[in-house]
């Protein structure tokens, strides 16, 4: 047993007080004068000055001792599972202050557990060691290395949740999702250069995939990261798997706002997905609210068994102002009646707005009078069939018109969401750079090939705009004894590709026949993804991401020159899915930023945007960030979205943007991994087991109260 | 009555009792015949002139009482029996053991009186400034313990009986039950100087020692020959002394009383008790208590006071029952008074048993302040 304040053990001498009081009470018992003492029964006399009511005295002494022990902060020592370096060393204690640190379980937050573990570690460090403190996911300043741990212990003790909430920079605290390897350089820089002294980073976090199990990356050779699970996790390690797993842990894992359908162009479909991170099975009635502009517009009650994710849907009609829908409305879905100790995933912020008409530009490189051989006709027909007319705007370009627009009036192409280059001669390098800039800003680019496409020119001038470099176009092999080239069909869409994420079964192109296609050079970097492939394995539709934009390449023609894809019923869905996916790079009607981001993740700003304009970010609870105009070719600081909520980005001279920030769902407390998978142990370090000092003052106080209660009962009965 | 003697009685008798005194007829003092104050019809034949009856001569009859005429008529010796006529001397015996001075402290009237300047005129200086016989208990008046209600009542009762007896011109004395046989018990007298002497002694005396009631009664039984009214005032709770424990002393007392009864004395026993002694009720019921009697004897009681009280009351009840039975056996009138109650009402209760006593409420009224009109 150890004591936090040993000098307060002097209070144990106070146990003499009840003894003296009992003796004194015996000595000064009430004195009664009576002349007829001969009638008082003589047998009831006892000698004076002896302890009376020994039961009461015993209880009072026990209560006094318990109070003295609690004041002295009595702690019992317990050998823990903590492994620490046995030699004197420099120890950097890194506490996980990300969103998951506020997860409360058994009336104690993960943050408090981590603080306790850090205090235990400081006590257990070998003599001669130095220690420092750093906080992952918070802007709290680190505490430098020092030999006397008193300051660190005081700092840790004072770092309650409230102070963490009020860190110097509001935000990035308690809601971020930063992994330790992302701060590898900063943490390594805290060590002082002394090669002979061992350097250890004790990473104190939850034994979870987003906690201790995320240690990876290459650290400097003389620095070793030692995972330190919290006490609860240590107990779980000792038990047979998952002892600390919370029984009911529910959160809104994701939320999707589907575009309006043709029959109800102003009605949005909201779909929230609930997920259970705890144990199952059980059933609970949940209540979810949909709030728009601070007003609760709908409440749904649903029963959730926790076995499978549960989808809750709303249909919300946007308000109209003068025939057009109103501007973006701040909305959130809230889980009302569930308290599981982790609140950030009980709500999801988003913006509600009617997406503007998708602007699709089609550059026809090979116009034809025959509709069956005209790419523009086939694409336009498919697009008009796939999209609501009000939500689609198609602009046709000739290659020359595109070149002139790009060089003469580039702002006229600002609203272009998707550009389809259909059988176009390879663009000039200048045009290619222009297109690349647009794509990086979020525009979608879809290449379709044909006779006008030269692999050599494309590879020379626009290689960066292609998913893979082109080889020459080739025909499918002619069968033996036949003169006509053989045709080939396409395989079923590959569901792993995000293009088919929402409706992979709707594309039915298996009956198609393609006679000629461009072959591609395999990409060792693996940036391109195949969404559709021919039956012999050659890719038919590829894609890659470039900046915030996306690029797709169809390796055959859209018209009937090389393939009959355009005649197949699945062609409409192919075009719709491809254009819709390409248009996601500029969501929210051409916004510069994505509509939903994770809290704490820095959001880069296009350099061109802040070269001349000031950017202002207005967030919840009065948060505001101003980014002044920067010099040309100077990187702008990223946008910081510190808290979950709705943000408005105002750019001087331009239209603003709306961003909804939500806590990274990966921070939600995951199911406890199996004990064997939990915190990896360092093997190469000579370590020892640390001891934990468990405070027992609450038990002492409870025992003292119990003693006093019994004492009062006994006293009342004997009175 | 001598005014100075009357004033001395007034200082000893509590004012309420003194005011009600004209209307009190204290047993066994009888209402006197009209015009013959101090003479009472005696149940026993005596020397009065009135004829009561004739009876046959019995050996021992005074030959002078033989009615020769009647004897001649009846041819036998007839003795003339005349009404008894007697002055009934009264002696009030007051127990002086320390328990008699128990109860709440009351203003000591003797202290006030002794503070007055001394004067050579004994009658005008007041009783308590009189330097007479030495107080056997407290020679230094300034060191005397304070006067308490129980003793005031006992002392007042002794003075009350003596006062009324003197008013009826009976020889009267107040005997303090102090160590006998240093002095003989006082003889009942109507001499004013003798009266002042025992009144002064009564005023100065405060109970402090063990009870000497038993030796005193034994001495009385040996010294008193003429039939007297003997009024015994005590709490009868603890009559122990240096030589006898309480039971032995009590037996000795009643042995002496039996002798007095056989000698023809009229006995009146007055039991003066305090509320604590009767009820044993102490506020708060302390679990631990240390009892101390006025003589300084003490012991602690560590057990439940409620149980002690129950045992105490049982023992006291048995003791008082025994006293009553022994008094009845001696034809002894037995009065019981409590020092905490209304003394007049309690005396009134005793008077109702007297056949010739008028109702007290018909005699005088008591104002709300307690003073009689």
């Amino acid at each position: 047993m150890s004591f936090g304040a040993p000098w307060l053990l002097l209070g144990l001498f106070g146990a003499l007080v009840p003894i003296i009081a009992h003796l004194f009470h015996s000595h000064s018992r009430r004195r009664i004068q009576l002349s007829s003492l001969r009638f008082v029964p003589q047998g009831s006399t006892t000698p004076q000055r002896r302890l009376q009511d020994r039961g009461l005295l015993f209880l009072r002494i026990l209560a006094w001792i318990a109070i003295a022990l609690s004041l002295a902060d009595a702690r019992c020592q317990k050998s823990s599972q903590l492994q620490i370096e046995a030699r004197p060393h420099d120890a950097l204690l890194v506490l996980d202050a990300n969103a998951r640190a506020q997860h409360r379980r058994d009336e104690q937050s993960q943050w408090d557990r981590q603080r306790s573990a850090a205090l235990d570690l400081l006590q257990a460090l070998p003599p001669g060691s130095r220690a420092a403190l750093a906080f992952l996911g918070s802007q709290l300043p680190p505490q430098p290395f020092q030999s006397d741990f008193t300051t660190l212990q005081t700092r840790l003790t004072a770092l309650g949740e409230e102070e963490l909430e009020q860190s110097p920079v509001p935000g990035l605290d308690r809601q971020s999702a930063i992994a330790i390897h992302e701060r590898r350089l900063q943490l390594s820089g805290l060590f002082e250069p002394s090669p002979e002294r061992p350097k250890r980073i004790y990473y104190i976090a939850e034994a979870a995939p987003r906690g201790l199990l995320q240690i990876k990356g290459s650290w400097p050779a003389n620095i070793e990261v030692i995972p330190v699970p919290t006490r609860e996790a240590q107990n779980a390690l000792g038990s047979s798997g998952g002892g600390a797993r919370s029984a009911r842990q529910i959160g809104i894992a994701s939320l999707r706002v589907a575009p309006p359908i043709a029959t109800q162009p102003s009605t949005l479909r909201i779909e929230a997905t609930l997920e259970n991170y705890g144990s199952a099975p059980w059933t609970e009635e949940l209540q979810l609210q949909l709030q728009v502009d601070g007003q609760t517009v709908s409440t749904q009650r649903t029963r959730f068994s926790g076995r499978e994710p549960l989808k809750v849907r709303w249909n919300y009609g946007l308000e109209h102002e003068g025939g057009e829908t109103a501007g973006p409305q701040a909305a959130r879905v809230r889980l009302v009646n569930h308290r599981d100790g982790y609140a950030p995933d009980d709500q999801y912020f988003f913006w509600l707005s009617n997406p503007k008409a998708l602007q699709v530009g089609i550059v026809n490189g090979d116009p034809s009078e025959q509709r069956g051989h005209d790419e523009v006709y086939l694409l336009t027909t498919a697009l008009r069939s796939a999209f609501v007319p009000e939500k689609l705007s198609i602009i046709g370009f000739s290659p020359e018109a595109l070149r002139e627009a790009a060089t003469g009036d580039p702002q006229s192409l600002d609203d272009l969401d998707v550009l389809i280059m259909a059988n176009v001669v390879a663009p000039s390098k200048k045009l290619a750079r222009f297109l690349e800039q647009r794509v990086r800003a979020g525009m979608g680019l879809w290449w379709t090939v044909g006779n006008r496409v030269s692999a050599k020119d494309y590879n020379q001038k626009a290689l960066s705009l292609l998913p893979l470099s082109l080889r020459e176009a080739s025909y499918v092999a002619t069968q033996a004894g036949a003169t006509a080239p053989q045709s080939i069909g396409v395989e079923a869409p590959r569901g792993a590709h995000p293009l088919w994420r929402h409706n992979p079964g709707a594309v039915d192109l298996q009956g198609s026949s393609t006679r000629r296609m461009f072959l591609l050079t395999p990409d060792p970097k693996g940036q391109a993804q195949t969404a559709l492939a021919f039956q012999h394995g050659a890719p038919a539709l590829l894609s890659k991401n470039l900046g915030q934009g996306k690029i797709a390449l169809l390796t055959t023609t859209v018209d009937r020159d090389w393939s009959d894809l355009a005649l197949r019923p699945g062609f409409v869905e192919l075009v719709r899915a491809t254009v819709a996916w390409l248009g996601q790079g500029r969501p929210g009607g051409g916004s510069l930023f994505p509509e939903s981001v994770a809290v704490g993740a820095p959001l880069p700003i296009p350099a061109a945007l802040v070269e001349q304009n000031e950017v202002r970010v207005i967030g919840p609870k009065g948060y505001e960030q101003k980014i002044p105009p920067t010099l040309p070719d100077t990187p702008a600081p990223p946008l910081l979205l510190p808290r979950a909520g709705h943000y408005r980005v105002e750019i001087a001279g331009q239209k603003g943007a709306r961003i909804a920030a939500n806590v990274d769902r990966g921070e939600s407390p995951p199911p406890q991994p199996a004990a064997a998978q939990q915190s990896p142990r360092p093997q190469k370090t000579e370590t020892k087991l640390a001891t934990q000092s468990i405070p027992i003052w609450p038990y002492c106080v409870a025992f003292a109260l119990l003693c006093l209660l019994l004492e009062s009962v006994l006293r009342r009965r004997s009175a | 009555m001598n005014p100075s003697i009357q004033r001395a009685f007034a200082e000893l008798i509590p004012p309420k009792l003194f005011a009600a005194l004209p209307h009190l007829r204290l047993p066994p003092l009888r209402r006197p015949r009209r015009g013959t104050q101090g003479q009472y019809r005696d149940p026993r034949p005596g020397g009065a002139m009135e004829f009561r009856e004739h009876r046959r001569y019995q050996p021992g009859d005074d030959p002078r009482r033989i009615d020769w005429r009647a004897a001649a008529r009846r041819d036998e010796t007839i003795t003339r029996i005349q009404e008894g006529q007697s002055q009934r001397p009264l002696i009030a015996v007051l127990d002086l053991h320390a328990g008699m001075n128990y109860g709440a402290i009351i203003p000591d009237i003797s202290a006030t009186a002794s503070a007055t300047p001394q004067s050579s005129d004994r009658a005008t200086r007041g009783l308590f400034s009189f330097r007479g016989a030495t107080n056997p208990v407290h020679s230094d008046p300034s060191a005397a313990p304070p006067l308490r209600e129980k003793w005031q009542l006992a002392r007042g009762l002794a003075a009350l009986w003596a006062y009324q007896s003197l008013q009826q011109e009976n020889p009267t004395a107040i005997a303090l039950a102090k160590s006998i046989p240093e002095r003989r018990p006082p003889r009942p007298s109507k001499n004013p100087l003798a009266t002042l002497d025992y009144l002064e002694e009564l005023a100065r005396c405060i109970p402090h020692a063990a009870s000497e009631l038993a030796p005193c009664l034994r001495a009385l039984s040996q010294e008193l020959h003429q039939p007297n009214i003997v009024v015994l005032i005590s709490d009868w709770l603890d009559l122990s002394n240096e030589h006898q424990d309480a039971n032995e002393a009590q037996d000795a007392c009643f042995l002496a009383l039996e002798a007095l009864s056989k000698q023809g004395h009229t006995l009146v026993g007055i039991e003066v008790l305090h509320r604590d002694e009767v009820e044993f009720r102490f506020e708060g019921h302390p679990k631990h208590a240390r009892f101390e009697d006025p003589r300084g004897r003490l012991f602690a009681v560590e057990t439940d006071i409620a149980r002690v009280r129950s045992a105490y009351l049982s023992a006291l009840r048995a003791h008082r029952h025994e006293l009553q039975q022994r008094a009845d056996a001696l034809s002894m009138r037995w009065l019981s008074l409590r020092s905490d109650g209304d003394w007049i009402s309690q005396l009134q209760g005793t008077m109702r048993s007297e056949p010739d006593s008028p109702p007290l409420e018909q005699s005088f009224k008591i104002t709300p302040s307690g003073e009689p009109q």
Side-chain angles (χ1 to χ4, degrees):
Chain A
M1 179 178 289
S2 64
F3 300 95
W7 60 274
L8 282 177
L9 284 177
L10 292 174
L12 286 175
F13 286 106
L16 297 175
V17 172
I19 300 175
I20 296 172
H22 276 241
L23 286 173
F24 183 71
H25 177 69
S26 173
H27 177 62
S28 63
R29 63 173 60 84
R30 183 171 175 181
R31 187 169 179 166
I32 297 174
Q33 278 206 336
L34 188 67
S35 58
S36 51
L37 281 185
R38 59 178 288 213
F39 303 116
V40 176
Q42 299 292 317
S44 58
T45 62
T46 55
Q48 298 183 21
R49 281 196 179 276
R50 51 176 291 191
L51 290 174
Q52 304 298 324
D53 296 321
R54 298 189 178 186
L56 283 177
L57 174 63
F58 184 66
L59 286 175
R60 288 165 180 164
I61 291 176
L62 284 182
W64 195 284
I65 291 174
I67 291 172
L69 289 179
S70 63
L71 288 177
D73 192 11
R75 294 166 176 269
C76 68
Q77 303 293 330
K78 180 185 176 185
S79 179
S80 70
Q81 303 290 331
L82 298 180
Q83 297 280 343
I84 61 172
E85 169 69 50
R87 298 169 294 171
H89 61 286
D90 287 350
L92 174 60
L93 276 60
V94 180
L95 274 73
D96 187 357
N98 285 305
R100 56 182 166 267
Q102 55 186 304
H103 178 220
R104 298 188 74 84
R105 188 180 295 159
D106 299 334
E107 304 300 325
Q108 192 179 20
S109 68
Q110 174 67 19
W111 172 250
D112 286 336
R113 292 190 179 94
Q114 293 172 181
R115 283 195 305 153
S116 300
L119 288 170
D120 294 340
L121 253 177
L122 286 177
Q123 286 186 349
L125 286 178
S129 298
R130 299 188 305 165
L133 273 180
F135 307 97
L136 190 66
S138 170
Q139 289 298 305
L140 289 174
Q143 299 287 316
F145 278 96
Q146 44 202 282
S147 301
D148 185 6
F149 303 154
T150 309
T151 308
L152 300 181
Q153 289 169 337
T154 307
R155 180 68 175 148
L156 276 173
T157 307
L159 263 180
E161 294 184 48
E162 293 78 12
E163 185 175 346
L164 204 64
E165 289 286 352
Q166 299 165 359
S167 60
V169 176
L172 292 183
D173 48 342
R174 312 303 307 280
Q175 294 202 334
S176 51
I178 299 174
I180 187 171
H181 58 82
E182 296 176 31
R183 294 289 182 268
R184 190 170 57 242
L185 293 179
Q186 292 91 327
L187 296 176
S188 302
L190 292 175
F191 285 97
E192 297 174 1
S194 55
E196 72 282 357
R197 196 171 175 85
K199 298 178 176 59
R200 301 287 178 263
I201 292 178
Y202 293 98
Y203 180 35
I204 305 169
E206 190 177 10
R210 294 293 292 259
L212 295 182
L213 302 183
Q214 69 181 179
I215 301 174
K216 57 185 180 181
S218 58
W219 294 81
N222 57 346
I223 296 178
E224 184 178 350
V225 181
I226 300 177
V228 180
T230 55
R231 189 170 301 145
E232 187 185 48
Q234 296 166 27
N235 298 334
L237 281 174
S239 65
S240 57
R245 184 177 178 180
S246 177
R248 298 184 178 186
Q249 191 73 46
I250 302 175
I252 302 175
S254 63
L255 186 137
R256 190 171 72 91
V257 181
I261 58 177
T263 53
Q264 293 177 317
S266 63
T267 299
L268 299 179
R269 192 175 192 189
I270 304 163
E271 182 180 274
T273 303
L274 295 178
E275 192 146 348
N276 171 34
Y277 305 107
S279 59
W282 44 263
T283 301
E284 183 175 355
E285 183 171 306
L286 299 177
Q287 187 175 347
L288 284 100
Q289 285 182 348
L290 171 63
Q291 294 181 340
V292 178
D293 289 338
Q295 303 293 326
T296 301
V297 297
S298 173
T299 301
Q300 282 200 37
R301 296 177 187 276
T302 180
R303 297 185 70 80
F304 187 33
S305 67
R307 291 188 178 87
E308 295 177 352
L310 175 68
K311 296 184 185 301
V312 183
R313 298 183 178 89
W314 287 270
N315 289 330
Y316 181 72
L318 293 171
E319 296 177 358
H320 287 72
E321 290 179 356
E324 294 187 357
T325 54
Q329 294 174 281
R332 72 167 169 169
V333 171
R334 212 170 130 237
L335 190 57
V336 178
N337 63 339
H338 181 71
R339 298 285 181 272
D340 54 7
Y342 183 72
D345 63 355
D346 291 343
Q347 58 183 353
Y348 202 100
F349 296 92
F350 59 103
W351 288 95
L352 277 176
S353 61
N354 202 351
K356 78 173 188 65
L358 189 68
Q359 281 205 359
V360 179
I362 302 177
V363 182
N364 191 358
D366 185 21
S368 173
E369 294 179 353
Q370 297 179 0
R371 289 181 175 178
H373 296 277
D374 186 18
E375 285 88 350
V376 172
Y377 171 76
L378 292 171
L379 285 171
T380 304
T381 304
L383 286 171
R384 294 200 187 285
S385 303
F387 288 90
V388 179
E390 293 83 357
K391 302 302 174 187
L392 181 67
S393 172
I394 301 175
I395 304 172
F397 294 96
S398 64
E400 294 75 16
L402 177 65
R403 194 179 310 119
E404 290 175 3
T407 55
D409 185 15
Q411 291 185 356
S412 62
L413 303 176
D414 279 351
D415 292 336
L416 209 56
D417 297 316
V418 179
L419 181 64
I420 302 176
M421 304 285 278
N423 196 11
V424 180
V425 177
S428 64
K429 288 187 177 180
K430 187 176 182 180
L431 179 61
R433 281 198 300 274
F434 172 78
L435 291 177
E436 181 179 351
Q437 182 181 356
R438 288 292 172 180
V439 170
R440 288 186 183 276
M443 189 182 75
L445 181 61
W446 188 7
W447 301 102
T448 64
V449 297
N451 294 328
R452 292 182 177 272
V453 173
S454 164
K456 183 179 178 182
D457 292 345
Y458 265 78
N459 291 338
Q460 285 181 350
K461 298 175 183 175
L463 182 59
S464 61
L465 293 173
L466 293 174
L468 294 174
S469 61
L470 299 176
R471 290 158 64 191
E472 287 303 322
S474 66
Y475 288 94
V476 178
T478 303
Q479 283 186 332
T483 57
Q486 189 181 0
S487 62
I488 193 170
V490 296
E491 291 181 337
R494 298 187 176 181
H497 196 281
L499 197 147
W500 316 116
R501 186 172 52 188
H502 300 305
N503 200 2
V507 180
D508 182 13
L509 298 171
Q510 294 186 3
S512 64
S513 61
T514 302
R515 300 179 302 279
R516 192 180 181 190
M517 74 282 292
F518 265 97
L519 299 179
L520 305 171
T521 305
D523 180 16
K525 296 182 181 178
Q527 290 183 348
Q529 288 181 288
T530 301
L532 202 63
F534 293 108
Q535 288 176 343
H536 57 25
L541 182 63
L542 293 97
S543 69
K544 85 165 185 180
N545 295 329
L546 182 62
Q548 296 182 32
K550 299 177 176 63
I551 297 173
L553 169 63
L554 184 67
T555 58
T556 185
T557 58
V558 172
D559 59 8
R560 295 184 56 195
D561 290 348
W562 293 2
S563 173
D564 64 350
L565 283 176
L567 302 182
R568 300 297 166 187
F571 180 71
V572 175
E573 180 58 25
L574 171 67
V575 173
R576 190 206 66 77
T578 306
V579 170
W581 180 71
L582 290 172
Q584 288 178 1
R586 304 183 67 184
S591 172
L592 297 171
F593 305 100
E595 273 193 339
S596 180
V597 297
V599 173
L603 198 60
I605 309 174
L609 196 64
V610 290
E611 283 181 0
Q612 297 177 351
N613 305 314
E614 182 189 68
V615 177
R616 195 158 74 106
V617 181
I618 301 169
K621 298 184 180 179
Y623 173 76
E624 183 173 349
Q625 181 192 9
K626 285 183 179 177
I627 300 176
T630 59
L631 296 174
D633 298 331
T634 304
L639 294 184
L640 295 177
L641 309 180
R643 296 179 187 279
H646 299 95
Y647 290 84
R648 288 184 292 118
V649 182
E650 296 179 351
I651 306 168
Q654 298 189 26
K655 60 181 181 182
R658 302 287 189 273
I659 305 175
N662 289 289
V663 176
D664 192 332
R665 262 40 191 175
E667 292 293 297
S668 296
Q672 199 74 15
Q677 300 174 356
Q678 289 189 349
S679 56
R681 302 294 185 198
Q683 297 298 328
K684 64 181 181 181
T685 305
E686 182 186 352
T687 59
K688 68 173 185 179
L689 282 178
T691 57
Q692 292 178 347
S693 63
I694 302 173
I696 60 171
W697 66 266
Y699 306 103
C700 291
V701 170
F703 183 72
L705 290 177
L706 179 64
C707 287
L708 293 178
L709 179 65
L710 288 176
E711 189 261 353
S712 65
V713 171
L714 283 181
R715 191 152 44 92
R716 183 179 292 272
R717 291 186 61 181
S718 62
Chain B
M1 186 181 291
N2 190 322
S4 60
I5 294 177
Q6 191 159 4
R7 192 162 58 246
F9 273 111
E11 292 179 3
L12 284 172
I13 301 172
K16 295 178 186 176
L17 287 179
F18 195 79
L21 191 56
H23 310 282
L24 292 176
R25 297 293 177 264
L26 303 176
L29 301 175
R30 305 292 182 182
R31 177 185 289 272
R33 291 180 181 177
R34 183 173 300 173
T36 57
Q37 188 175 17
Q39 296 181 349
Y40 293 85
R41 290 174 62 91
D42 196 317
R44 292 167 298 181
M49 297 303 292
E50 285 187 45
F51 170 78
R52 177 184 290 183
E53 62 180 350
H54 280 147
R55 67 171 166 85
R56 185 175 297 170
Y57 173 80
Q58 293 178 356
D61 287 350
D62 190 349
R64 289 174 296 179
R65 299 292 182 187
I66 297 174
D67 190 341
W68 295 108
R69 289 182 182 177
R73 284 197 296 269
R74 299 185 185 181
D75 196 16
E76 57 180 347
T77 305
I78 298 298
T79 301
R80 177 185 176 88
I81 305 300
Q82 293 172 304
E83 277 290 359
Q85 178 191 356
S86 61
Q87 285 184 326
R88 300 296 304 277
L90 181 141
I91 179 165
V93 182
L94 190 56
D95 194 2
L96 278 184
H97 82 88
M100 293 296 291
N101 190 21
Y102 180 79
I105 297 176
I106 61 171
D108 188 358
I109 54 176
S110 63
T112 308
S114 62
T116 57
Q118 291 190 1
S119 169
S120 58
D121 185 359
R122 180 174 172 177
T124 57
R125 276 182 287 138
L127 174 64
F128 302 107
S129 58
F130 177 72
R131 185 164 51 85
T134 304
N135 188 333
V137 181
H138 295 289
S139 56
D140 182 8
S142 63
L147 197 63
R148 298 176 185 271
E149 56 181 345
K150 184 177 171 183
W151 174 242
Q152 193 195 29
L153 173 62
R155 191 178 70 174
L157 289 174
L160 195 67
W161 254 264
Y163 181 79
Q164 199 163 61
S165 176
L166 281 175
Q167 273 193 324
Q168 295 172 4
E169 296 184 356
N170 293 321
T172 304
I174 296 178
L176 301 179
K178 52 195 177 186
S179 53
I180 301 289
E182 291 178 2
R183 295 177 59 186
R184 288 188 170 184
R187 284 178 177 273
S189 166
K190 293 193 284 186
N191 184 354
L193 288 179
T195 304
L196 280 177
D197 275 344
Y198 65 68
L199 288 181
E200 181 184 17
E201 190 172 4
L202 178 62
R204 289 187 178 280
C205 181
I206 291 179
H208 187 259
S211 173
E212 297 289 344
L213 188 60
C216 180
L217 290 179
R218 189 167 59 247
L220 278 178
S221 66
Q222 295 169 358
E223 296 291 333
L224 292 181
H225 301 294
Q226 185 181 2
N228 283 261
I229 298 173
V230 180
V231 178
L232 304 167
I233 302 172
S234 175
D235 57 7
W236 304 92
L237 293 176
D238 187 2
L239 305 179
S240 61
N241 51 41
E242 293 180 356
H243 309 290
Q244 297 167 311
D245 63 11
N247 292 326
E248 292 171 350
Q250 185 173 304
D251 292 341
C253 275
F254 276 92
L255 204 59
L257 288 174
E258 186 178 359
L260 287 171
S261 178
K262 287 181 179 175
Q263 292 169 9
H265 299 287
T266 302
L267 301 178
V268 177
I270 301 178
E271 182 187 38
V272 177
L273 295 175
H274 189 269
R275 189 194 70 160
D276 294 346
E277 296 162 345
V278 177
E279 299 178 356
F280 199 80
R281 189 177 300 280
F282 299 100
E283 291 183 358
H285 292 291
K287 181 172 177 58
H288 308 287
R290 186 169 65 174
F291 286 90
E292 180 182 21
D293 75 350
R295 289 160 62 183
R297 295 176 300 181
L298 58 88
F299 60 85
V301 174
E302 308 288 352
T303 54
D304 190 356
I305 289 293
R307 286 204 297 271
V308 174
R309 176 175 182 267
S310 175
Y312 171 88
L313 292 180
S314 297
L316 180 66
R317 197 177 306 116
H319 165 74
R320 294 181 68 187
H321 183 67
E322 179 190 357
L323 288 178
Q324 186 73 49
Q325 282 188 329
R326 298 179 81 160
D328 291 344
L330 298 176
S331 299
M332 180 178 177
R333 180 174 293 277
W334 191 261
L335 307 179
S336 186
L337 295 173
R338 280 174 60 162
S339 62
D340 59 319
D342 183 359
W343 297 341
I344 299 175
S345 300
Q346 294 184 68
L347 283 175
Q348 181 190 17
T350 64
M351 289 162 59
R352 279 181 180 153
S353 60
E354 300 300 319
D356 54 349
S357 296
L360 186 65
E361 53 271 22
Q362 294 178 7
S363 304
F364 66 98
K365 294 180 179 177
I366 298 177
T367 61
S369 61
E371 296 297 329
Q373 290 180 344

